């Protein structure tokens, strides 16, 4: 956000002397605002009952969906390339016109292009790296993905953790040396609800029999997920 403010301010000042430079600054600042929106957007979704067919059987239970990739991200990737080109143009103008102000435009364009490229690439590869939804069934936790569906039986889970690594929060389900993680930023519903729901049903085997019914949804939506030692 500070980069966008600097870019808009530079656009107003520089455009008084050079409209081309002002337009480049304004474009870069708007791109930063778009990238900030893409990276920080929040679309809460209500938890609902879902089902998945696995190994000839149907597993039913509360489903926690992930955020769907935005088709417009491909356009943002193209805009990122354009911004990089604008940055190169600013450098050329700074050298040919001997105007150091263009170097500010080059920096703003480079930062905006990098942010947009990062947001676009992250969105375009989400389905390949993370499951589109997590489902809690009586048999275990089901991770649905385009490349395949994975079931982790409850009795194989050794830990359910909320971890932070490199500034990113994630819910990690461990099965001995193996693990399955889901970044909280990818969840379309409240990450705390997902964590407490998985942990509650892992620790409370007596409550798993109603996972495919409305009783489980009422418990999750009501926040009655305390683990009794």
């Amino acid at each position: 956000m500070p980069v966008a403010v600097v870019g808009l301010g530079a656009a107003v000042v520089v455009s008084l002397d050079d409209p081309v430079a002002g337009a480049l600054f304004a474009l870069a600042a708007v791109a930063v605002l778009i990238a900030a929106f893409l990276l920080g957007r929040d679309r809460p979704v209500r938890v609902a009952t879902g089902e998945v067919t696995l190994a000839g059987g149907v597993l039913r239970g509360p489903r926690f969906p992930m955020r769907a990739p935005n088709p417009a991200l491909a356009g943002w990737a193209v805009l990122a390339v354009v911004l990089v080109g604008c940055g190169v143009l600013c450098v050329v103008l700074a050298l040919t016109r001997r105007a150091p102000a263009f170097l500010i435009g080059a920096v703003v364009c480079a930062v905006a292009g990098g942010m947009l490229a990062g947001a676009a690439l992250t969105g375009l590869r989400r389905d390949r790296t993370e499951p589109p939804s997590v489902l809690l069934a009586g048999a275990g936790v089901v991770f649905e993905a385009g490349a395949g569906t994975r079931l982790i039986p409850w009795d194989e889970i050794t830990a359910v953790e909320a971890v932070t690594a490199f500034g990113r929060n994630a819910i990690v389900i461990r099965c001995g040396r193996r693990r399955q993680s889901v970044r909280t930023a990818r969840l379309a519903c409240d990450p705390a609800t997902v964590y407490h729901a998985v942990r509650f049903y892992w620790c409370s085997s007596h409550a798993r029999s109603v996972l495919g019914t409305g009783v489980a949804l009422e418990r999750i939506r009501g926040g009655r997920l305390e683990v009794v030692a």
Side-chain angles (χ1 to χ4, degrees):
M1 193 63 67
V3 177
V5 174
V6 171
L8 289 174
V12 174
V13 174
V14 177
S15 61
L16 298 177
D17 295 328
D18 195 318
V20 175
L24 291 176
F25 286 9
L27 176 63
V30 171
V32 170
L33 293 176
I34 294 174
F37 167 76
L38 290 175
L39 292 172
R41 65 189 186 281
D42 188 14
R43 304 173 184 176
V45 174
R46 190 174 176 83
V47 180
T49 299
E51 61 180 35
V52 61
T53 302
L54 186 66
V58 177
L59 300 178
R60 184 179 176 85
R63 171 181 279 156
F64 303 95
M66 302 290 185
R67 291 190 179 120
N70 189 343
L73 289 176
W76 304 139
V78 174
L79 181 57
V81 175
V82 174
L83 285 170
V84 172
C86 290
V88 174
L89 178 61
C90 284
V91 173
V92 173
L93 291 174
L95 296 176
T96 56
R97 299 188 181 185
R98 295 182 179 180
F102 280 103
L103 294 178
I104 300 176
V107 173
V108 175
C109 285
V111 172
M115 290 180 64
L116 276 178
L121 292 175
T122 299
L124 292 174
R125 66 182 177 85
R126 277 174 185 162
D127 280 352
R128 296 184 179 180
T129 59
E130 295 186 82
S133 67
V134 178
L135 184 142
L136 305 184
V141 184
V142 181
F143 294 89
E144 302 175 86
T149 301
R150 180 186 180 189
L151 169 65
I152 302 180
W154 293 110
D155 57 1
E156 292 185 9
I157 298 177
T158 56
V160 178
E161 305 171 342
V163 302
T164 300
F166 303 104
R168 295 181 177 182
N169 299 322
I171 299 172
V172 178
I173 298 177
R174 299 186 183 277
C175 306
R177 295 184 178 180
R178 298 179 301 162
R179 74 175 196 170
Q180 175 71 56
S181 63
V182 177
R183 287 190 299 119
T184 57
R186 283 280 287 112
L187 289 166
C189 46
D190 181 23
T193 299
V194 180
Y195 167 74
H196 288 295
V198 175
R199 189 169 183 273
F200 172 80
Y201 286 106
W202 170 52
C203 297
S204 310
S205 57
H206 63 278
R208 299 173 193 162
S209 59
V210 296
L211 273 172
T213 68
V215 176
L217 280 182
E218 291 180 4
R219 176 184 289 276
I220 292 173
R221 291 173 180 172
R224 302 192 306 273
L225 300 169
E226 299 84 2
V227 175
V228 180

